[in-house]
Amino acid sequence: MLVPYSWLKEFVSVSLSPEELAERLTLTGLEVEGVFDAYEDLAQVVSVRVLAVSPHPHADKLTVCKVTDGAKNYQVVCGAKNVREGLKTAFAPQGVILFTGEKIAAKEIKGVLSEGMLCSPYEIGLSLDHSGILELPEDTPLGKPVTEILGLSEPVLEVALTPNRGDCLSIYGMAREVAAVCNASLKKPELPNLPLGEDIFSETSVTIEVPELCFRYAGRLIKNVQVKESPFEIQQRLWLCGLRPINNIVDITNYVLLEVGQPLHAFDFDLLEGKKIIVRLARAGEKILTLDGVERTLDTETMVIADAKRPVAIAGIMGGEETAVTEKTRNVFLESAWFNPSSIRLTSQRLRLSSESSYRFERGVDPEGVILGLERAAKQMADLAHGEVILGRIDEYPSPYAKREIRLSPKRIKLYLKVDLTDDEITRELEKVQVKVTKGVEDFICEPPSFRHDISLPEDLIEEIARLYGYDKLPSSIPVAEIAGKPPSRYEKVSKKVKCLLRALGLYEVINYSFISPQFVSLLGLDENDLRAKPLALANPLSEEQAVMRTTLIPGLLQTAKTNIFRERPDVKIFELGRVFLPRKGEVLPEERHYLSGLLTGRSVPISSHRTERHVDFFDLKGILESFFENLGVKNIEFVPKGGEPFLLPALSVLLEVKGQKIGFAGALRPKVRDILDIEQEVFVFEIDFEKVLEAVSFDKRFRALPKFPATTRDLALILQDAIPAQELLSFAKELSLPHLEEVTIIDVYRGKPIPEGYKSLTLRFVYRAPDRTLTDEEVNKIQEKVTEKFLARFEAKLR
């Protein structure tokens, strides 16, 4: 916020220089980013003498002037009537930014080059006069900055306010802060004594349909105004604060906004249909042409100010073009309100529209300052626009401001600040910021002022005491804390192990946002009864791409893979360990579970001259998972064919089970899903319920000596139905609990002639070994014969 020093001093008696005041404010928590002179941009506007004046060849009202600054001559096209040979005046060369904000550039005017501008008093911020160019005394030296000659100077403080200090978004608000910080006297703005009565109620009315969004709405009717240019003092202060003057009515609303922090809006009363005001939500499809010249379509969550037929303003943000004040306006309805900050902030974000008013409403205006702003603006319209203030004032106040009481313990102050303050000192510091303090039996009963929305806790009051007392006066102390270590939890131990294992297996860890797009959920084609198909929607999403909480980690991995592929990094091997958010029946908050997911796509190994290029396939994925579970100590892991996930290919997907309990899935992404993502190469994914894996992980390691005696192997070649999974044979072999059996593996699978159609040949290799002797062939043959009989009977198989 820009704060002109001279305007500030109208409300507070402070003897500090602008630089000293900036330092004092910064030390008390209100950062001043800098102090600059509002006229510093005019340093290049210099005094010149007019050497010659000649008529413009193509324009009767213009002249072509030759001027000099004593070192260089310039040609300037000028339209001022008082320009004459020998006159000393102010010249702005190209590149200068005038007080009005106009940037000077060399340009042709009616075919004649003009290398700058001869300035009027208005253009250099001296007065309202812009009828002619500035006339300087004859003894003025040439080439000297006009700001030095005329002594033009206006220090302006640039203050960076935090979002919780909306009370300082005005000159008077800053003056309150300066008075508290500098212990200076404060001059309060006067409340004008305007006429009250009932006449206004016969002319217009105000209806609030959304009292939860509009807490207070007040209005005045001013008739027979004369819309014209504002006095120079008002225009000058608007320029100093970064606003552009428009006309006296609009300028008064902006001036009062800057002065006391209350946003206002003036409607052309004669253009209001039905001569009434309705505060309501917009209806579906309604549109409004706002003052910035943009037609906006409104949604049903947008609060508007409407007349009998249409919206005439977006509440708290910007007025409409159709009821704007122009030079034709004669009667004005003046609005002053207190809106719900959250509603204004959300609407501003949705419409991507911000204004000086919304900036203040979002941070909270003073509910008790609504009438002050309204009356001061109405009084100025009567004085400066010669308007007639109609008897009466509308003040709809459906949600009155409730005073707050905070109990503050002196013991807590001492505990936090390490300073023993007397009751009088505590009371004095708090009263500086207009907190009403009453001493109770043990505690202080404190009532913050209505404009301090940021004070709601005892700690807020202690902070006020600390900064006003002086942070530099507080004793320094080092916090004392007990350092006590604790062993890592099982989750921490297992997650660390998991990440190390997956990195060793060639995968890179990624961390994605917990927010995803609803489109990703529908992309997976989940059943409507699947909990993953019902993600929790965010109340205030950053964007549509992050509108719901993830119920699976797969969308984030797919988005990461897509980004890498589109950036010509097609070989992607990644994993993520993170939370998912599953809905719980009858509860608002979701269940948070840890999932582990991974994705493989692209080449299995980098390009090399001595390797054949190969892309990852399902068996790469299965091999990684097998190694992963083996190293984690998870036993009895089974890969059950046809995983059942709608976004995976049935023939290339499996369920992951431990002792019959599903812990996850793995498989190849369906082509139709890849098509939607514009991914041409095959993609393989897995997802594991990490909390179920935690229960199965074993950190116990058992070592045994290397075998002293040789092993004996037997192969069993079976012809069995093709539909029987190989895993089922391996599991059956383990269930038999055969003596001396060390290992069973599948070494061959064959389909084709002479094997009948619908059948396959599968060969298992049994490895036998005894720890204390060499097994004889007879011993092994007896065991193997029984194994063969049981396999033939169990699977209705034949020997090959």
Side-chain angles (χ1 to χ4, degrees), residues 364 615 689:
H615 285 72
D689 188 331

Side-chain angles (χ1 to χ4, degrees), residues 46-52 66-70 73-74 84-91 118 137-140 142-143:
V46 296
S47 55
V48 296
R49 181 189 294 276
V50 180
L51 299 176
K66 296 288 185 181
V67 302
T68 181
D69 60 6
N73 294 343
Y74 301 89
R84 59 186 183 275
E85 187 177 325
L87 175 67
K88 287 187 176 180
T89 187
F91 170 69
L118 300 181
E138 181 59 34
D139 59 353
T140 302
L142 297 180

